[in-house]
Structure formats: structure tokens, C-alpha cells
């Protein structure tokens, strides 16, 4: 079992940047795929990025591709999400989650992710 804790959320103006962190504990970090998801009020949870700790492969949703970058520091058991060129529509609660297996056909489907953090709020003002 793995425990996940997100940090780094906050309030930022449109065009600004934030870096989210997801710290994992309780299990070998290399065994998991770590994903970032977000959920805005009244909307479904959206998968936006994931990284395979074993081979470093990364995936992005079209909504964040080119603006967000996911990375991992296996020594620190931490995955980061660098978010640049933020837009008001990026406002949401951001969650990180862990999956035991990378499903390459649909890597950002929340269904595959077994462990979830509590989330961190990101608010982008216009």
C-alpha cells in the first residue's frame, strides 16, 4: 500500500506558474505509475498526466500538453507537476494517484488508479 500527499497548490494569476508535489510513502515508489488528476466543481475527474517510475514514460492530456510537465525524483519518492501558462479553466482540486500497472491504451483513466491523495486546490484568477 502507498500513501500520497499533495502540496504546492494556491492562488495564481492567469499566465503564472505553480509546481505541485506528490510525496509517496509506505511502499516502493518504483512499483507504481503516478498520475495527476483534477476535478472542478460540477465536473468529472480528469486525468491530466502520469509517469511510470520504472521507465520514465510520460503521458499528458490534450488540455495540458505543452504547458504542464511531470517529473519524478525516485530518491525522494516524489512526483512533481510543473504547471506553466495557467488559465482560469485550470482551476480545480488537483489529486495525485498511484496505479500498479501502466495501461498504455488509456493511461489517464481514473479507474486504473488504486491509491489517492487528499488533493490540493489550484485557483487561477483572470
Amino acid at each position: 500500500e502507498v500513501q500520497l500527499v499533495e502540496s504546492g497548490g494556491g492562488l495564481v494569476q492567469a499566465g503564472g506558474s505553480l509546481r505541485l508535489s506528490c510525496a509517496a510513502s509506505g511502499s516502493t515508489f518504483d512499483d507504481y505509475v503516478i498520475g495527476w488528476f483534477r476535478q472542478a466543481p460540477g465536473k468529472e475527474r480528469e486525468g491530466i498526466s502520469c509517469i511510470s517510475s520504472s521507465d520514465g514514460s510520460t503521458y499528458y492530456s490534450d488540455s495540458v500538453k505543452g504547458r504542464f510537465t511531470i517529473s519524478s525524483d525516485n530518491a525522494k519518492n516524489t512526483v512533481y507537476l510543473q504547471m506553466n501558462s495557467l488559465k482560469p479553466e485550470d482551476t480545480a482540486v488537483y489529486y495525485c494517484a498511484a496505479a500498479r500497472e501502466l495501461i498504455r491504451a488509456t493511461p489517464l483513466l481514473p479507474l486504473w488508479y488504486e491509491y489517492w491523495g487528499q488533493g490540493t486546490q489550484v485557483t487561477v484568477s483572470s
Side-chain angles (χ1 to χ4, degrees):
E1 184 172 338
V2 61
Q3 292 80 43
L4 304 170
V5 178
E6 304 95 337
S7 62
L11 174 64
V12 64
Q13 289 188 333
S17 299
L18 282 174
R19 188 177 80 158
L20 305 183
S21 299
C22 174
S25 62
S27 187
T28 304
F29 190 67
D30 289 352
D31 292 341
Y32 292 90
V33 176
I34 305 297
W36 282 100
F37 299 79
R38 65 186 182 186
Q39 189 164 19
K43 295 189 177 182
E44 291 187 356
R45 190 164 296 189
E46 174 191 15
I48 58 175
S49 186
C50 70
I51 185 167
S52 170
S53 298
S54 60
D55 65 8
S57 56
T58 59
Y59 297 82
Y60 297 92
S61 67
D62 288 342
S63 61
V64 306
K65 194 175 297 182
R67 299 188 298 124
F68 292 8
T69 303
I70 193 170
S71 62
S72 67
D73 184 335
N74 287 7
K76 295 183 177 180
N77 273 12
T78 300
V79 169
Y80 303 99
L81 186 69
Q82 178 67 43
M83 306 188 296
N84 298 330
S85 302
L86 283 162
K87 306 174 182 179
E89 51 263 45
D90 293 318
T91 295
V93 178
Y94 284 69
Y95 301 89
C96 65
R100 296 181 184 271
E101 184 180 1
L102 178 64
I103 309 299
R104 295 188 185 274
T106 54
L108 299 177
L109 194 63
L111 176 66
W112 308 136
Y113 292 78
E114 184 175 357
Y115 304 103
W116 292 81
Q118 294 300 306
T120 185
Q121 176 71 45
V122 172
T123 303
V124 184
S125 64
S126 58

